[in-house]
Amino acid sequence: MTMQKIKAWVRLILTIAIILAAVLIIFKNWENQTNLWLIYSFKDVPVIRLLIVTSLVTLVGFWIVKGVYRAYRDVKQTSVIKKDV
């Protein structure tokens, strides 16, 4: 087997393992509920909804931070180019 085939199989196995872990977490937490206090007290919030909202907020936050960092890097690079000219 070539190295590319080994890498492809490892990626496939890891992807399947991650998907199975996510499905297991969803299945185990489907009926669970919790009490949540942020600014307002929430009673009997489904854990699965809490997991989904948390993951979405994390992804959006990462996307925003990444965009701000890229914009900062572009502005910094532009100012360095202007100094050289």
Side-chain angles (χ1 to χ4, degrees), residues 50-61:
L50 193 59
L51 287 171
I52 291 170
V53 168
T54 303
S55 63
L56 290 176
V57 167
T58 302
L59 288 173
V60 169

Side-chain angles (χ1 to χ4, degrees), residues 59-74:
L59 288 173
V60 169
F62 176 75
W63 178 67
I64 290 171
V65 169
K66 187 176 170 184
V68 168
Y69 175 73
R70 282 185 179 174
Y72 172 75
R73 188 180 62 196
D74 289 343

Side-chain angles (χ1 to χ4, degrees), residues 13-70:
I13 291 169
L14 286 175
T15 302
I16 291 171
I18 290 170
I19 289 171
L20 287 175
V23 168
L24 182 65
I25 289 170
I26 290 170
F27 178 72
K28 289 290 185 178
N29 289 303
W30 193 259
E31 295 294 324
N32 293 344
Q33 294 188 349
T34 187
N35 294 328
L36 178 68
W37 183 87
L38 294 171
I39 296 171
Y40 174 76
S41 182
F42 298 96
K43 301 239 186 229
D44 298 328
V45 177
V47 172
I48 193 70
R49 186 185 306 166
L50 193 59
L51 287 171
I52 291 170
V53 168
T54 303
S55 63
L56 290 176
V57 167
T58 302
L59 288 173
V60 169
F62 176 75
W63 178 67
I64 290 171
V65 169
K66 187 176 170 184
V68 168
Y69 175 73
R70 282 185 179 174

